[in-house]
Amino acid sequence: MTQEKKMVIFVISDSLGETGNNLAEAATVQFPNVKFEYHRFPLTKTTSLLAGILEKAKRLDAFVVHTLVGKGLASYVNSYCNENHLCVLDGMSNIITTIEEKTGETPLYQSGRNHNLNQSYFNRIEALEFAVTYDDGKDPAGFEKADIVLLGVSRTSKTPLSLYLANKNFRVANLPLVPKAGIPKEIWQVDPQKIFGLTNDPTILNNIRRERMITYGLNPDTNYSSIQNIEKELAFAADLYKKIGCLIINVSNKSIEETATLIMESLPK
């Protein structure tokens, strides 16, 4: 029997550590046969704190990923790792140095500047509140106010996609499509380039809906989850999308991030 391969990763940051964590995760998903153990150390702003963390990393033979911006902290970690034969990835210093050399500008060396409470932050909060207010077609008035309108039958990721896009500062409203329900007149007042019709593979949708029913402790074999009903719903949606003239996106086998990127790239400039 093959022994499972393991790897310990330390993610160290003098801010929240999201950049380093995302960087590490983007790489580790390429190795499905390795079990990765993450240790995150955010808001690490002194060498005394770093010393203890690095000693632990040495004991566990960890791979150290850091996005330290504070002067001296990055070089401290890099030197320690090199002297103690630890693998290290400096995710920030080289980029900052290159920009400094290219522009001639002196960096601020302030950690967490991308999390400052600037106007973009408040716009994002407003967008999140908008997405919640106009989720599931609660108020048709939101369609004309929205930057993006998502249409789709049940379980085509409308709500999580709305919240993800809201985090990108887009005001998003979504409408669940039910063949026997009417379509709000406001939909026809929206620029079709801002409307996106979500669809899915009937078999995948069937599995998703069955699992949802099971989660609620209900019978999975209902009209809601039947292939015949799903195909009718998808046909109704496809016909509506054609009438509107909006972009259609099949979300089957796509992550929320992939679908969101398609939408953002397709918006009128």
PDB file of all heavy atoms in Angstrom, residues 24 42-43 55 58-59 77 83 101 140 143 154 161 163 169 172 190 197 200 224 230 232 250 253:
ATOM      1  N   ALA A  24      -0.697  29.855  -2.219  1.00  0.00           N
ATOM      2  CA  ALA A  24      -0.367  28.474  -1.876  1.00  0.00           C
ATOM      3  C   ALA A  24      -1.444  27.508  -2.356  1.00  0.00           C
ATOM      4  O   ALA A  24      -1.147  26.457  -2.935  1.00  0.00           O
ATOM      5  CB  ALA A  24      -0.177  28.347  -0.366  1.00  0.00           C
ATOM      6  N   PRO A  42      -1.287  35.237  10.534  1.00  0.00           N
ATOM      7  CA  PRO A  42      -1.525  36.618  10.092  1.00  0.00           C
ATOM      8  C   PRO A  42      -1.018  37.626  11.125  1.00  0.00           C
ATOM      9  O   PRO A  42      -0.712  37.268  12.272  1.00  0.00           O
ATOM     10  CB  PRO A  42      -3.050  36.673   9.975  1.00  0.00           C
ATOM     11  CG  PRO A  42      -3.530  35.706  11.010  1.00  0.00           C
ATOM     12  CD  PRO A  42      -2.507  34.588  11.040  1.00  0.00           C
ATOM     13  N   LEU A  43      -0.938  38.868  10.702  1.00  0.00           N
ATOM     14  CA  LEU A  43      -0.599  39.997  11.583  1.00  0.00           C
ATOM     15  C   LEU A  43       0.698  39.761  12.357  1.00  0.00           C
ATOM     16  O   LEU A  43       0.823  40.094  13.537  1.00  0.00           O
ATOM     17  CB  LEU A  43      -1.756  40.280  12.553  1.00  0.00           C
ATOM     18  CG  LEU A  43      -3.116  40.551  11.882  1.00  0.00           C
ATOM     19  CD1 LEU A  43      -4.231  40.630  12.913  1.00  0.00           C
ATOM     20  CD2 LEU A  43      -3.051  41.831  11.054  1.00  0.00           C
ATOM     21  N   GLU A  55      10.945  28.629  14.191  1.00  0.00           N
ATOM     22  CA  GLU A  55      11.459  27.472  14.932  1.00  0.00           C
ATOM     23  C   GLU A  55      10.501  26.290  14.783  1.00  0.00           C
ATOM     24  O   GLU A  55      10.915  25.141  14.614  1.00  0.00           O
ATOM     25  CB  GLU A  55      11.644  27.829  16.416  1.00  0.00           C
ATOM     26  CG  GLU A  55      12.905  28.636  16.706  1.00  0.00           C
ATOM     27  CD  GLU A  55      14.175  27.866  16.373  1.00  0.00           C
ATOM     28  OE1 GLU A  55      14.234  26.648  16.653  1.00  0.00           O
ATOM     29  OE2 GLU A  55      15.095  28.482  15.812  1.00  0.00           O
ATOM     30  N   LYS A  58      10.808  24.869  11.363  1.00  0.00           N
ATOM     31  CA  LYS A  58      12.000  24.030  11.260  1.00  0.00           C
ATOM     32  C   LYS A  58      11.723  22.627  11.807  1.00  0.00           C
ATOM     33  O   LYS A  58      12.115  21.617  11.206  1.00  0.00           O
ATOM     34  CB  LYS A  58      13.158  24.685  12.017  1.00  0.00           C
ATOM     35  CG  LYS A  58      14.462  23.912  11.936  1.00  0.00           C
ATOM     36  CD  LYS A  58      15.555  24.644  12.709  1.00  0.00           C
ATOM     37  CE  LYS A  58      16.857  23.850  12.692  1.00  0.00           C
ATOM     38  NZ  LYS A  58      17.916  24.552  13.475  1.00  0.00           N
ATOM     39  N   ARG A  59      11.033  22.556  12.943  1.00  0.00           N
ATOM     40  CA  ARG A  59      10.732  21.252  13.550  1.00  0.00           C
ATOM     41  C   ARG A  59       9.844  20.401  12.642  1.00  0.00           C
ATOM     42  O   ARG A  59       9.991  19.177  12.579  1.00  0.00           O
ATOM     43  CB  ARG A  59      10.035  21.444  14.907  1.00  0.00           C
ATOM     44  CG  ARG A  59      10.922  22.006  15.993  1.00  0.00           C
ATOM     45  CD  ARG A  59      10.302  21.799  17.381  1.00  0.00           C
ATOM     46  NE  ARG A  59       9.002  22.420  17.518  1.00  0.00           N
ATOM     47  CZ  ARG A  59       8.815  23.666  17.909  1.00  0.00           C
ATOM     48  NH1 ARG A  59       9.868  24.454  18.182  1.00  0.00           N
ATOM     49  NH2 ARG A  59       7.593  24.162  18.030  1.00  0.00           N
ATOM     50  N   VAL A  77      13.049  36.336   7.386  1.00  0.00           N
ATOM     51  CA  VAL A  77      12.508  35.004   7.089  1.00  0.00           C
ATOM     52  C   VAL A  77      13.338  34.307   6.019  1.00  0.00           C
ATOM     53  O   VAL A  77      13.693  33.124   6.150  1.00  0.00           O
ATOM     54  CB  VAL A  77      11.030  35.101   6.634  1.00  0.00           C
ATOM     55  CG1 VAL A  77      10.521  33.736   6.168  1.00  0.00           C
ATOM     56  CG2 VAL A  77      10.163  35.616   7.760  1.00  0.00           C
ATOM     57  N   GLU A  83      19.405  29.500   5.807  1.00  0.00           N
ATOM     58  CA  GLU A  83      20.398  28.965   6.745  1.00  0.00           C
ATOM     59  C   GLU A  83      19.990  27.610   7.318  1.00  0.00           C
ATOM     60  O   GLU A  83      20.826  26.795   7.674  1.00  0.00           O
ATOM     61  CB  GLU A  83      20.614  29.963   7.890  1.00  0.00           C
ATOM     62  CG  GLU A  83      21.325  31.239   7.456  1.00  0.00           C
ATOM     63  CD  GLU A  83      21.264  32.325   8.524  1.00  0.00           C
ATOM     64  OE1 GLU A  83      20.766  32.024   9.647  1.00  0.00           O
ATOM     65  OE2 GLU A  83      21.688  33.465   8.247  1.00  0.00           O
ATOM     66  N   GLU A 101      12.427  49.395  -8.960  1.00  0.00           N
ATOM     67  CA  GLU A 101      13.495  49.584  -9.938  1.00  0.00           C
ATOM     68  C   GLU A 101      12.954  50.123 -11.261  1.00  0.00           C
ATOM     69  O   GLU A 101      13.595  50.943 -11.930  1.00  0.00           O
ATOM     70  CB  GLU A 101      14.217  48.254 -10.176  1.00  0.00           C
ATOM     71  CG  GLU A 101      15.027  47.780  -8.965  1.00  0.00           C
ATOM     72  CD  GLU A 101      15.611  46.392  -9.160  1.00  0.00           C
ATOM     73  OE1 GLU A 101      15.239  45.730 -10.162  1.00  0.00           O
ATOM     74  OE2 GLU A 101      16.408  45.967  -8.306  1.00  0.00           O
ATOM     75  N   PRO A 140     -38.641  43.595  -7.777  1.00  0.00           N
ATOM     76  CA  PRO A 140     -38.340  43.804  -9.203  1.00  0.00           C
ATOM     77  C   PRO A 140     -37.700  45.156  -9.515  1.00  0.00           C
ATOM     78  O   PRO A 140     -37.062  45.313 -10.561  1.00  0.00           O
ATOM     79  CB  PRO A 140     -39.713  43.683  -9.876  1.00  0.00           C
ATOM     80  CG  PRO A 140     -40.521  42.848  -8.930  1.00  0.00           C
ATOM     81  CD  PRO A 140     -40.050  43.249  -7.564  1.00  0.00           C
ATOM     82  N   PHE A 143     -33.920  45.292 -10.634  1.00  0.00           N
ATOM     83  CA  PHE A 143     -33.376  44.901 -11.937  1.00  0.00           C
ATOM     84  C   PHE A 143     -32.860  46.100 -12.729  1.00  0.00           C
ATOM     85  O   PHE A 143     -31.811  46.038 -13.361  1.00  0.00           O
ATOM     86  CB  PHE A 143     -34.431  44.131 -12.744  1.00  0.00           C
ATOM     87  CG  PHE A 143     -34.861  42.847 -12.088  1.00  0.00           C
ATOM     88  CD1 PHE A 143     -36.203  42.570 -11.881  1.00  0.00           C
ATOM     89  CD2 PHE A 143     -33.920  41.935 -11.655  1.00  0.00           C
ATOM     90  CE1 PHE A 143     -36.601  41.385 -11.267  1.00  0.00           C
ATOM     91  CE2 PHE A 143     -34.298  40.742 -11.038  1.00  0.00           C
ATOM     92  CZ  PHE A 143     -35.641  40.471 -10.839  1.00  0.00           C
ATOM     93  N   SER A 154     -33.879  27.055 -10.657  1.00  0.00           N
ATOM     94  CA  SER A 154     -33.388  26.743  -9.318  1.00  0.00           C
ATOM     95  C   SER A 154     -32.106  25.919  -9.360  1.00  0.00           C
ATOM     96  O   SER A 154     -31.964  25.001 -10.157  1.00  0.00           O
ATOM     97  CB  SER A 154     -34.466  25.951  -8.550  1.00  0.00           C
ATOM     98  OG  SER A 154     -33.994  25.541  -7.293  1.00  0.00           O
ATOM     99  N   LEU A 161     -23.213  33.351  -6.796  1.00  0.00           N
ATOM    100  CA  LEU A 161     -22.595  34.146  -7.854  1.00  0.00           C
ATOM    101  C   LEU A 161     -22.856  35.631  -7.634  1.00  0.00           C
ATOM    102  O   LEU A 161     -21.968  36.471  -7.828  1.00  0.00           O
ATOM    103  CB  LEU A 161     -23.141  33.693  -9.204  1.00  0.00           C
ATOM    104  CG  LEU A 161     -22.487  34.239 -10.471  1.00  0.00           C
ATOM    105  CD1 LEU A 161     -20.985  34.004 -10.467  1.00  0.00           C
ATOM    106  CD2 LEU A 161     -23.118  33.581 -11.695  1.00  0.00           C
ATOM    107  N   LEU A 163     -23.287  37.130  -4.748  1.00  0.00           N
ATOM    108  CA  LEU A 163     -22.455  37.583  -3.630  1.00  0.00           C
ATOM    109  C   LEU A 163     -20.993  37.689  -4.035  1.00  0.00           C
ATOM    110  O   LEU A 163     -20.277  38.604  -3.608  1.00  0.00           O
ATOM    111  CB  LEU A 163     -22.620  36.628  -2.448  1.00  0.00           C
ATOM    112  CG  LEU A 163     -24.017  36.631  -1.813  1.00  0.00           C
ATOM    113  CD1 LEU A 163     -24.130  35.545  -0.752  1.00  0.00           C
ATOM    114  CD2 LEU A 163     -24.343  37.995  -1.213  1.00  0.00           C
ATOM    115  N   ASN A 169     -17.560  44.572  -6.257  1.00  0.00           N
ATOM    116  CA  ASN A 169     -18.177  45.905  -6.346  1.00  0.00           C
ATOM    117  C   ASN A 169     -19.262  46.039  -7.413  1.00  0.00           C
ATOM    118  O   ASN A 169     -19.580  47.154  -7.837  1.00  0.00           O
ATOM    119  CB  ASN A 169     -17.122  47.000  -6.559  1.00  0.00           C
ATOM    120  CG  ASN A 169     -16.297  47.251  -5.314  1.00  0.00           C
ATOM    121  OD1 ASN A 169     -16.348  46.478  -4.358  1.00  0.00           O
ATOM    122  ND2 ASN A 169     -15.523  48.317  -5.311  1.00  0.00           N
ATOM    123  N   VAL A 172     -25.739  43.408  -8.011  1.00  0.00           N
ATOM    124  CA  VAL A 172     -26.325  42.276  -8.731  1.00  0.00           C
ATOM    125  C   VAL A 172     -27.715  41.944  -8.198  1.00  0.00           C
ATOM    126  O   VAL A 172     -27.925  41.859  -6.990  1.00  0.00           O
ATOM    127  CB  VAL A 172     -25.430  41.020  -8.611  1.00  0.00           C
ATOM    128  CG1 VAL A 172     -25.968  39.896  -9.504  1.00  0.00           C
ATOM    129  CG2 VAL A 172     -23.986  41.337  -8.980  1.00  0.00           C
ATOM    130  N   VAL A 190     -34.259  46.349 -18.974  1.00  0.00           N
ATOM    131  CA  VAL A 190     -32.818  46.275 -18.706  1.00  0.00           C
ATOM    132  C   VAL A 190     -32.053  46.040 -20.003  1.00  0.00           C
ATOM    133  O   VAL A 190     -32.496  45.273 -20.872  1.00  0.00           O
ATOM    134  CB  VAL A 190     -32.512  45.138 -17.698  1.00  0.00           C
ATOM    135  CG1 VAL A 190     -31.015  45.051 -17.417  1.00  0.00           C
ATOM    136  CG2 VAL A 190     -33.290  45.343 -16.405  1.00  0.00           C
ATOM    137  N   GLY A 197     -28.015  34.758 -18.684  1.00  0.00           N
ATOM    138  CA  GLY A 197     -28.875  33.600 -18.474  1.00  0.00           C
ATOM    139  C   GLY A 197     -28.052  32.381 -18.093  1.00  0.00           C
ATOM    140  O   GLY A 197     -27.202  31.943 -18.860  1.00  0.00           O
ATOM    141  N   ASN A 200     -27.746  24.795 -17.063  1.00  0.00           N
ATOM    142  CA  ASN A 200     -26.967  23.682 -16.524  1.00  0.00           C
ATOM    143  C   ASN A 200     -27.321  22.414 -17.283  1.00  0.00           C
ATOM    144  O   ASN A 200     -28.331  22.360 -17.996  1.00  0.00           O
ATOM    145  CB  ASN A 200     -27.238  23.513 -15.028  1.00  0.00           C
ATOM    146  CG  ASN A 200     -26.088  22.858 -14.276  1.00  0.00           C
ATOM    147  OD1 ASN A 200     -25.331  22.077 -14.852  1.00  0.00           O
ATOM    148  ND2 ASN A 200     -25.949  23.170 -13.004  1.00  0.00           N
ATOM    149  N   TYR A 224     -39.764  18.290  -8.416  1.00  0.00           N
ATOM    150  CA  TYR A 224     -38.675  19.285  -8.405  1.00  0.00           C
ATOM    151  C   TYR A 224     -37.379  18.713  -8.973  1.00  0.00           C
ATOM    152  O   TYR A 224     -36.620  19.409  -9.650  1.00  0.00           O
ATOM    153  CB  TYR A 224     -38.469  19.760  -6.961  1.00  0.00           C
ATOM    154  CG  TYR A 224     -37.281  20.664  -6.733  1.00  0.00           C
ATOM    155  CD1 TYR A 224     -37.262  21.973  -7.223  1.00  0.00           C
ATOM    156  CD2 TYR A 224     -36.174  20.216  -6.000  1.00  0.00           C
ATOM    157  CE1 TYR A 224     -36.183  22.803  -6.997  1.00  0.00           C
ATOM    158  CE2 TYR A 224     -35.089  21.044  -5.772  1.00  0.00           C
ATOM    159  CZ  TYR A 224     -35.100  22.340  -6.272  1.00  0.00           C
ATOM    160  OH  TYR A 224     -34.016  23.158  -6.042  1.00  0.00           O
ATOM    161  N   ILE A 230     -37.039  19.128 -15.073  1.00  0.00           N
ATOM    162  CA  ILE A 230     -35.833  19.951 -15.239  1.00  0.00           C
ATOM    163  C   ILE A 230     -35.644  20.332 -16.700  1.00  0.00           C
ATOM    164  O   ILE A 230     -35.318  21.484 -17.022  1.00  0.00           O
ATOM    165  CB  ILE A 230     -34.599  19.195 -14.700  1.00  0.00           C
ATOM    166  CG1 ILE A 230     -34.649  19.142 -13.164  1.00  0.00           C
ATOM    167  CG2 ILE A 230     -33.302  19.847 -15.172  1.00  0.00           C
ATOM    168  CD1 ILE A 230     -33.606  18.245 -12.529  1.00  0.00           C
ATOM    169  N   LYS A 232     -37.941  20.664 -18.946  1.00  0.00           N
ATOM    170  CA  LYS A 232     -38.951  21.665 -19.288  1.00  0.00           C
ATOM    171  C   LYS A 232     -38.529  23.045 -18.784  1.00  0.00           C
ATOM    172  O   LYS A 232     -38.674  24.052 -19.483  1.00  0.00           O
ATOM    173  CB  LYS A 232     -40.304  21.273 -18.675  1.00  0.00           C
ATOM    174  CG  LYS A 232     -40.987  20.111 -19.360  1.00  0.00           C
ATOM    175  CD  LYS A 232     -42.306  19.781 -18.673  1.00  0.00           C
ATOM    176  CE  LYS A 232     -42.970  18.573 -19.304  1.00  0.00           C
ATOM    177  NZ  LYS A 232     -44.224  18.199 -18.598  1.00  0.00           N
ATOM    178  N   ASN A 250     -23.440  28.257 -19.441  1.00  0.00           N
ATOM    179  CA  ASN A 250     -23.677  26.936 -18.844  1.00  0.00           C
ATOM    180  C   ASN A 250     -22.737  26.786 -17.657  1.00  0.00           C
ATOM    181  O   ASN A 250     -21.521  26.768 -17.820  1.00  0.00           O
ATOM    182  CB  ASN A 250     -23.424  25.829 -19.876  1.00  0.00           C
ATOM    183  CG  ASN A 250     -23.910  24.476 -19.385  1.00  0.00           C
ATOM    184  OD1 ASN A 250     -23.810  24.154 -18.201  1.00  0.00           O
ATOM    185  ND2 ASN A 250     -24.451  23.686 -20.294  1.00  0.00           N
ATOM    186  N   ASN A 253     -19.884  22.243 -14.379  1.00  0.00           N
ATOM    187  CA  ASN A 253     -18.428  22.051 -14.339  1.00  0.00           C
ATOM    188  C   ASN A 253     -17.649  23.368 -14.333  1.00  0.00           C
ATOM    189  O   ASN A 253     -16.458  23.395 -14.666  1.00  0.00           O
ATOM    190  CB  ASN A 253     -17.950  21.175 -15.511  1.00  0.00           C
ATOM    191  CG  ASN A 253     -18.610  19.811 -15.507  1.00  0.00           C
ATOM    192  OD1 ASN A 253     -18.712  19.175 -14.460  1.00  0.00           O
ATOM    193  ND2 ASN A 253     -19.089  19.381 -16.662  1.00  0.00           N
TER     194      ASN A 253
END
